[in-house]
Amino acid sequence: FYGTVEAVEVLVSAQLMGRVTGLFAEEGERLQEGHLVVKIDDLLYRAQVEQARVTVESARSQSAVVKANLDGVHITLARIRKLLSTGSATQMQLDEVETQEEVLKAQQKVVGAQVVQAEAALQLAETQLAYTRVSAPVSGTVIRRDVELGETVLPGSALMTLADLSTMEVKVYIPGPMLGRIRIGQRVELVTDSYPDRRLSGSVATIADEAEFTPKNVQTRDERVRLVYRVKVRVPNPDGILKTGMPVDAWFVEE
């Protein structure tokens, strides 16, 4: 069968709005996973983190004050209840302190919720700050750089496109009657026009569940009107022989 080589591309995009202040990868450069590729101006996001931290500290301080007051009320309650049993305190005094306890418990719930909310806001601010440093999500080669220094990007804006060129995929279309002889993991031998004397070896990675008409760029008109199934063959490419868009001949090996 005939196939076409494709690279598995990974689009690296921005998660937030900002001005690009640093570019750390060029087209054609091989990157390792985690390599810093783009830096976005973080001045605003650092300020948001500091503000969120102050809010968290304030909420925690209020929570500590309420807890201390509640602990004091508990001590007072224990003392009044003991005095009440000996007649040295009145029921009215006990009722007043118990009311104070209920008020402080309600305040403790409110302040506790404020602490949780402030901590969540801090976590969000820290996450947004981390998004100003965009790293390669996978190891691969930069095949396209979509931004330049000084540009303002929006959430979802394309920054770079990576491709793992060490492993390529070959898309082959198989006629329905032949599909029963193809299986996942089956060995496939491939030959390119550039290296006709060298056979590469791959394996079937996926088989489409639905039939489709043969793409227009495949062979003759008669072949284009047939219903076929798309099969993807994964091929190791350590020497970089296979290039994107390269046509190949593929033989599915029956074992």
Side-chain angles (χ1 to χ4, degrees):
F1 298 97
Y2 302 98
T4 304
V5 177
E6 296 180 349
V8 179
E9 298 183 359
V10 177
L11 179 64
V12 182
S13 59
Q15 299 294 318
L16 42 72
M17 184 179 71
R19 182 172 57 87
V20 176
T21 58
L23 290 171
F24 307 99
E26 299 292 338
E27 290 187 0
E29 184 176 354
R30 172 72 180 175
L31 306 179
Q32 295 298 317
E33 180 180 350
H35 180 95
L36 179 65
V37 293
V38 175
K39 178 74 168 57
I40 297 174
D41 185 15
D42 62 1
L43 182 60
L44 173 62
Y45 300 101
R46 287 187 180 278
Q48 290 176 344
V49 168
E50 290 304 318
Q51 182 179 4
R53 284 175 178 167
V54 171
T55 302
V56 168
E57 291 175 1
S58 176
R60 287 175 177 172
S61 297
Q62 292 180 20
S63 179
V65 170
V66 172
K67 183 179 183 304
N69 291 338
L70 190 59
D71 289 343
V73 167
H74 288 158
I75 294 174
T76 302
L77 271 176
R79 184 171 64 251
I80 289 179
R81 284 169 179 155
K82 185 176 181 181
L83 292 174
L84 186 63
S85 63
T86 61
S88 301
T90 65
Q91 183 63 42
M92 181 178 294
Q93 290 175 315
L94 178 62
D95 291 344
E96 289 178 353
V97 178
E98 286 180 340
T99 300
Q100 293 177 13
E101 180 188 33
E102 293 302 319
V103 171
L104 287 172
K105 283 183 177 179
Q107 290 181 354
Q108 190 176 45
K109 290 182 179 179
V110 172
V111 175
Q114 291 174 345
V115 170
V116 172
Q117 184 178 9
E119 290 175 343
L122 174 60
Q123 184 177 7
L124 175 60
E126 290 176 338
T127 299
Q128 290 180 325
L129 178 60
Y131 284 155
T132 62
R133 298 175 62 86
V134 184
S135 301
V138 296
S139 297
T141 301
V142 180
I143 61 174
R144 185 168 57 255
R145 199 175 76 178
D146 300 293
V147 295
E148 296 297 334
L149 202 63
E151 287 187 26
T152 298
V153 296
L154 300 174
S157 296
L159 302 176
M160 292 186 182
T161 302
L162 303 180
D164 183 6
L165 302 181
S166 64
T167 300
M168 304 292 277
E169 288 185 347
V170 174
K171 187 183 296 183
V172 182
Y173 292 90
I174 304 296
M178 298 290 296
L179 195 62
R181 300 170 64 181
I182 306 298
R183 57 180 174 76
I184 299 294
Q186 184 173 357
R187 185 164 63 90
V188 182
E189 294 184 351
L190 306 104
V191 172
T192 70
D193 293 339
S194 302
Y195 298 89
D197 297 329
R198 181 169 179 177
R199 287 210 168 196
L200 304 176
S201 181
S203 60
V204 175
T206 64
I207 302 173
D209 294 328
E210 296 182 1
E212 58 184 285
F213 286 106
T214 312
K216 293 181 180 180
N217 62 348
V218 175
Q219 302 308 311
T220 67
R221 180 179 179 84
D222 290 338
E223 290 177 320
R224 290 202 299 266
V225 299
R226 292 187 307 180
L227 283 175
V228 293
Y229 291 82
R230 185 177 66 254
V231 174
K232 286 187 178 180
V233 178
R234 188 162 293 126
V235 188
N237 188 38
D239 300 329
I241 291 176
L242 297 178
K243 309 294 184 183
T244 301
M246 179 180 289
V248 298
D249 295 336
W251 288 267
F252 291 80
V253 181
E254 293 183 316
E255 298 175 346

